[in-house]
Amino acid sequence: MNIGTLLTEWSLPTQKTENVIKKYSVTADILSFKRCRRQYGFFGVRKFRSATATQRYFGTLVHDVLEQINRNYQMKKSLPIEEALPNEEEIKILVEKAHERLILSGIRPYNTEDQKIRAAKLISRFVELIGPVFFLHVDKTEYHLEHSINPGENDEFILHGIVDVLSGAVAHDLGMPYSTEPDDIEVWDYKSGKCPPKDSTELQDYQYQMRVYAHLYRQQTGNYPARCVLVFLGELDDDDIWKRCSRDHRQFPSLFYTIDPQPRHIVKAINDFEKVVKEIEIEKSKPYSEQWLAPINAPDAATCDSCELRYNCERYERGHKQRKEAL
Amino acid sequence: MSVLEVFMSISLHKFYDAMTRANKGTLPLDDDQRKALEHNFHTPLWIIAGPGTGKTHTLSWLVLKRILVDGIEPSKIVLTTFTNKAANELRTRLIQNQQKLVGLGALNEAKQIDVSQILLGTLHSLCSRILQDQRYEPTLRINVLEDELTQQFFVRRQGNLLLNCDDITFWQRFGFLKDSDRFSPNKAKKTEFACKLFNRITEFGANSEMMKASGDTHMDLLAKAYEEYLDKLKEKHRTDQAILQKHFLEFLQTSQGQSFIGSGFTVFVDEYQDTNPIQEEIYFTLVGTRGDFTVVGDDDQSLYRFRGATVESLIDFDERCKVYLKKDPTPVYLKENRRSHHAIVSWINGFIKNHPDMTDPLYRVRAPKKPDLIPKSSITGAYPAILSIVETSNPRAAIKMVEVIRQLIDGKFIHDYSQIAILTFSTKESTWGISAYTDALTAAGIPYYNPRNKKTQKQEHFQAMIGALSIILDPVFDDTNLPASLPRSVVEYIGNARSKYKELVPTNSELHEYVINSQQAIKSAKVDPTKKTNFLVRQGGRRVTLSGLWYKILSYEPFSTVLTQANIGEKLKALNMVLTDYESMYDYGELKIETDKSGFTIIDRWTLYNFYAVFVEGIHQDLNEPEDDEIVLEEHSINIMTIHQAKGLEFEVVFVVRPDNHPYESDTHIIEDELDPYITRPTKPASRRSRSKRAAEDVVRLFYVAYSRAKRLLCITAGTGPKDWNIVLPKPVDGTSVISKKHLKSLGVHVL
């Protein structure tokens, strides 16, 4: 049998390289990779599944209840404000319902009773403090932003993010201490914790996220939003300030963190985004055995403490000892 | 206000001009593809696209044309495909074509459109996303049972009437048992069959009330079991993939859904031949009364009847449009095949057209007036492109196949092994499957990649991991000590797994030390007799979970090293995924403890039983690596895959191996008939062909897909004579049967 004699007029096939444009999420990819490439590689790319009780419970609970309040408000907004927005008791019921849903969805929190009480408290205070202005201006929630970026030939990727709230001029109506207009468009993002220190990585990450959203918003609509506002509900936990605040949000100086969409910062964020995408692509192109090694610099303690890969991770010193503990 | 609202749509002429410039001076459309683009959309568009006719190419230009010329807003476009991989490819093509229009095409208007706003994805992913975005109350934060095994874990955990059904005639009726079988299926099998029945009821839209009222005891039982399943899903806030679509359809029918639909979406559906009835209803609902609906597909390539697909959706699309939209669709046939050598095109034309199972005086078996494919590939050499290896045994055929592969590589006819695919009905590496072929490749040192080899569960580290878990939880395995009996095969598997672990002990003392310490920790764990349930806790009070133990074991040698090897790492991941699915049904993997007769603490017997009888049972016989539908091609290796997985792919050289091995009439066809009387949807066919004929159609379509994947060379490789597999051969024009090599030659096949 000689195949060569049969295939006399055979033409040599060309080798094609298919270039599929990949999608990258601001939070699930870029920030995760920046936090820890090993964790990202195993859980984000290879899709190993995490076994620890979730850290997401509180944030998701707060987010879901605020979202529900908004939906209810949108249906009842022609009614007087006290009927359109829930009171503390009603908020407790909403928290309970959202909690039940989260538990059924497989989220496993610790100290749920304490967390529910705290969530209801923060949300009630938020609603009381700025609810009438805030919900009046909510335009869209869970707003998808997506755009392709093309830093060079065959380098395209799609950048993706979901904005909590796209709103009208909340800052203007709240009388925020900077220049605002009544027709401003704003991006709002709920954070359930306290505002992190100014120079912290966490706050830098949030700023970065908002700048990318501002960029995407501009790609999608032609204009930047007037501003992005992070609202740190955890700030409302302080009972002393609450007692004496006379329902004036200015008594909580760190409740809002505003990010102006300054082009130079945004360009920097997008450049950084491109750089991280490239790093991820390089990582993916390495042989399997060399991919997703521990990062050179140790991530923050919270990231490592909840990571299943910590027992033999070079960046987590206590891991080796923990590994030897039974069970 | 979106960008689009501010710009006027452009003329088709201008669009074509830009396309031409973007394509070095030639309009990249053949006449049929132009017909599709120039359709006026007053009527639905029915694109029947044979293999290699540029379906994705046409679809991507058509979508851009609808946006730029017809002024359709991207956010009002729904574009679905069959897999996430196909969706990514389509998205890529859209973006690349848009960029071409902007760049070389100099069409500034194209710069302003935002294709990312198109609702593009598989129907499942879109249902999920839209329900989430719309915050539809019944599905808020709903937990989806992502695959069949997870669904089975759920049913097993929650219980169901069918799991207690020992009426053999019930299982025989739906084709799950043979008439000669004398025992009812075990619990795991009952669960698997029950899930299959439930999925078909949902997908076909069978009415459980009618089933109960039928006076048929089997149907009454099935309907009650299905309703019980639905109740349990609701109670646990879960859904399976099929019911997620049902939720979506229900959402579309609410006032919120109606306002979401508005005046109707512009809907494009790719691979429409594999649509099931509930999906069909979703699409027609999304389209609304405007009827702006384009379907693309090839009935000859319909492969998913066993998952509820009904090829009639495409074949009878005209009838369906009349019912839903009171309109006749316009058919467009894409027939210029640019993929394959003309001899291959001629072979597949002859195969499907002349096949006796594909014509019927009473029923449409293929789309009406379907033309032959026209070969237009640049591959034109005068060589025999259809080869066949016909030997008296599979090992002999395998040796010859390996020799052909060697010569193709050595003679530099191809650059790389990855340009070759071996396609077959079952890729299981067993005597019944293709072990003769994989053994021959291994012996010859030819690299191959066979992710669905059904051998994952036998991999030694995979087994050793299960063995390690078993030894921690259950130091002395004795299945007679469990509260219920385990199937013999599970007992054997556990025994093997424990042995695999023990083989690691001499060279991995640290791991063993951890296992022994953990056994001790369980033994001395405190049980509070005043509590109804006690859980095993770690130092610090946190409950120990199965996955937690799994990750700890993983951190020891040899697991931590083999984790970094692709072939083993991916198998361990598959185990991790199934384990977490199992945990989500069974106490989140937390471990209940109790005291034994001697006063020592042990793992609660039911917890242990479930671990063995549900989790180990679920994986011990058949576990695929992940990426089930989303086949990943391995570079520098021959890719071995099922014909189903090869859908949508193409290879320079294709070996269709073991043509004697193909699906038969089965429960799939029986369930279709049995549920038929309880289906009330308006588009249900009044009658259909017999089961045996439908089964035969399925075989022909399967091999049509296999053959049409080949670009340059197709080699049918068999270890038996053609009389055993002539169902997958074209019928000679004289009507005789192909039973010998001589007959094969008369069909134009070069027998090696």
Side-chain angles (χ1 to χ4, degrees), chain A residues 1-16 18-23 38 42-43 45-53 55-56 60 63-65 67-68 71 97-98 100-108 110 141-150 154 156-158 160 162 216 218-222 287-291 293 305 308-312 320-327, chain B residues 1-3 88-89 91-92 95-96 99 114 116-117 129 132-135 137 140-143 235-238 378-384 387 400 403-404 407-408 412-416 419 472 510 513-514 517-518 521-522 536-539 542 544-545 547-552 554-557 560 563-566 569-570 572-573 576-578 580-581 583 588 590 650 652-653 711-713 750 752:
Chain A
M1 180 181 68
N2 185 345
I3 291 290
T5 56
L6 287 176
L7 307 181
T8 47
E9 288 188 31
W10 178 275
S11 55
L12 196 63
T14 48
Q15 272 180 306
K16 271 199 294 191
E18 292 271 323
N19 177 32
V20 172
I21 299 178
K22 296 191 185 71
K23 223 181 200 187
R38 185 163 188 239
F42 275 83
F43 298 103
V45 180
R46 289 192 186 159
K47 307 284 180 206
F48 277 80
R49 293 187 189 154
S50 170
T52 49
Q55 312 281 313
R56 290 182 300 135
T60 315
H63 183 280
D64 281 5
V65 175
E67 178 65 44
Q68 180 70 50
R71 250 176 308 140
K97 268 181 100 174
E100 282 167 17
R101 238 180 344 239
L102 285 179
I103 296 299
L104 285 172
S105 80
I107 288 183
R108 290 176 292 151
Y110 297 122
T141 57
E142 302 277 310
Y143 185 66
H144 288 257
L145 292 167
E146 198 170 296
H147 200 78
S148 65
I149 301 254
N150 187 7
N154 292 332
E156 301 104 319
F157 61 88
I158 296 166
H160 170 80
I162 302 175
L216 285 172
R218 186 180 183 220
Q219 294 295 325
Q220 218 148 295
T221 63
Y288 194 89
S289 59
E290 290 164 30
Q291 289 175 346
L293 302 177
D305 288 342
E308 278 93 352
L309 305 173
R310 68 185 181 277
Y311 303 117
N312 62 346
H320 197 68
K321 187 170 163 277
Q322 288 181 2
R323 186 170 76 136
K324 292 199 175 252
E325 289 164 7
L327 302 171
Chain B
M1 184 159 58
S2 79
V3 171
N88 287 339
E89 280 167 11
R91 185 182 294 111
T92 299
I95 292 170
Q96 286 171 342
Q99 285 167 353
D114 186 357
S116 69
Q117 293 303 297
R129 175 182 156 177
Q132 171 66 21
D133 286 354
Q134 295 288 318
R135 316 285 298 179
E137 184 74 28
L140 258 183
R141 299 265 173 226
I142 202 161
N143 205 336
E235 185 191 323
K236 299 290 172 192
H237 201 51
R238 286 185 177 258
S378 56
I379 304 165
T380 54
Y383 62 86
L387 306 179
K400 218 166 195 177
E403 181 54 28
V404 175
Q407 291 190 25
L408 287 171
K412 298 197 171 19
F413 291 97
I414 48 172
H415 301 280
D416 189 275
Q419 292 177 315
I472 292 175
E510 273 204 315
E513 200 180 315
Y514 166 74
N517 286 344
S518 297
I522 294 175
L536 185 65
V537 291
R538 225 173 236 154
Q539 255 181 339
R542 288 207 174 167
V544 178
T545 65
S547 284
L549 291 175
W550 188 89
Y551 274 108
K552 266 205 159 173
L554 191 73
S555 70
Y556 284 96
E557 292 296 354
S560 61
L563 180 69
T564 64
Q565 297 165 10
E570 289 300 296
L572 289 172
K573 176 174 78 183
N576 164 261
M577 290 173 123
V578 180
T580 48
D581 279 339
E583 289 187 307
Y588 301 111
E590 293 169 353
E650 58 181 30
E652 303 296 339
V653 178
K711 292 172 75 177
R712 285 178 155 75
L713 201 60
H750 184 96
L752 293 170

Side-chain angles (χ1 to χ4, degrees), chain B residues 134-158:
Chain B
Q134 295 288 318
R135 316 285 298 179
Y136 179 54
E137 184 74 28
T139 58
L140 258 183
R141 299 265 173 226
I142 202 161
N143 205 336
V144 185
L145 305 168
E146 293 286 354
D147 57 31
E148 286 164 11
L149 191 55
T150 321
Q151 187 186 13
Q152 288 165 26
F153 285 156
F154 178 82
V155 171
R156 193 79 192 268
R157 176 60 167 171
Q158 297 303 323

